[in-house]
Amino acid sequence: MQKDIGSVMGLYPTPATVVGVKDGDKVNFLVIAHVGVVDHGHLLVSIDKAHTLTDAMIKNVNELSVSLINKDMLVRADYCGIAKGATTDKSTVFQHHFEELKNAPIIDEAPVSMACRVIDQIEVGNFTNYILKPEHTYVQEECLNERGKIDYEKANPVLFEFQSAKYLSVGKVIGRCWVEGKNYEQ
């Protein structure tokens, strides 16, 4: 039997990511787990306006990177969510470089990093929701499968669960999309 627990967001866990942005000479990183797929070519990151520096930097340059993190990056990523960019220099937390998008720092060790352009922004409550177009996606070679696609079991991204405030790891593959349902019988 199900129990009504009220108006609770129940779509967790979500991928934990690190958003990177450069404005002028300043590089800043912020952990963001309110992320989602908008369509097959666009994603959304939702940034609390309390992160005033990151929000202002993104609005100014309209570029940013979004990187999946793994367990080895977790302590530093979580730190980037605790330390305020307005008072803390987080530019050296991750080794990074720049490619075509000069305001989107690519984290060298991230299993997957996307250099993105902002194509729209929507204010909802205390959050700025950025709709992004990934212009370039960089993947560690060991995280690719034999067809050159991202293998998320190898990338092993960290997940964020809001209700219990915990980080989780990705589990093993349990089935194949658009195959398992063929076994359904009415």
Side-chain angles (χ1 to χ4, degrees):
M1 169 165 247
Q2 291 182 331
K3 180 180 179 176
D4 181 352
I5 62 170
S7 179
V8 174
M9 174 57 72
L11 291 181
Y12 293 98
T14 57
T17 70
V18 170
V19 165
V21 62
K22 178 180 181 255
D23 187 3
D25 292 333
K26 185 160 182 77
V27 172
N28 191 49
F29 294 107
L30 177 64
V31 69
I32 296 290
H34 291 156
V35 298
V37 174
V38 176
D39 67 18
H40 291 177
H42 296 88
L43 66 135
L44 173 139
V45 295
S46 184
I47 299 179
D48 190 320
K49 292 178 189 173
H51 298 290
T52 54
L53 178 70
T54 304
D55 199 39
M57 290 173 76
I58 295 169
K59 285 178 179 168
N60 193 43
V61 299
N62 287 308
E63 294 178 357
L64 65 150
S65 62
V66 179
S67 299
L68 293 179
I69 65 168
N70 58 29
K71 185 179 177 185
D72 294 338
M73 301 168 66
L74 181 58
V75 169
R76 289 172 290 149
D78 195 54
Y79 169 78
C80 287
I82 296 168
K84 296 290 183 194
T87 57
T88 305
D89 178 4
K90 297 185 275 182
S91 65
T92 60
V93 173
F94 296 105
Q95 290 291 322
H96 60 278
H97 68 281
F98 296 91
E99 295 287 342
E100 292 83 359
L101 298 185
K102 299 302 181 197
N103 297 306
I106 304 303
I107 297 175
D108 295 343
E109 69 186 282
V112 178
S113 285
M114 295 171 285
C116 303
R117 288 193 197 280
V118 175
I119 63 161
D120 203 356
Q121 59 182 325
I122 303 160
E123 308 286 327
V124 177
N126 201 42
F127 288 79
T128 305
N129 297 278
Y130 293 99
I131 308 294
L132 308 175
K133 169 72 175 151
E135 297 287 334
H136 301 276
T137 301
Y138 305 94
V139 182
Q140 295 292 336
E141 288 187 37
E142 64 269 15
C143 296
L144 295 172
N145 66 20
E146 62 282 347
R147 296 184 335 259
K149 306 287 184 187
I150 302 168
D151 183 325
Y152 290 97
E153 223 175 342
K154 292 176 183 175
N156 199 19
V158 170
L159 302 176
F160 167 79
E161 197 280 300
F162 183 70
Q163 299 301 318
S164 63
K166 293 181 181 174
Y167 291 110
L168 309 170
S169 63
V170 173
K172 297 291 180 193
V173 173
I174 60 168
R176 303 242 339 145
C177 302
W178 307 290
V179 172
E180 299 303 318
K182 294 177 182 177
N183 296 320
Y184 178 75
E185 295 178 18
Q186 289 188 355

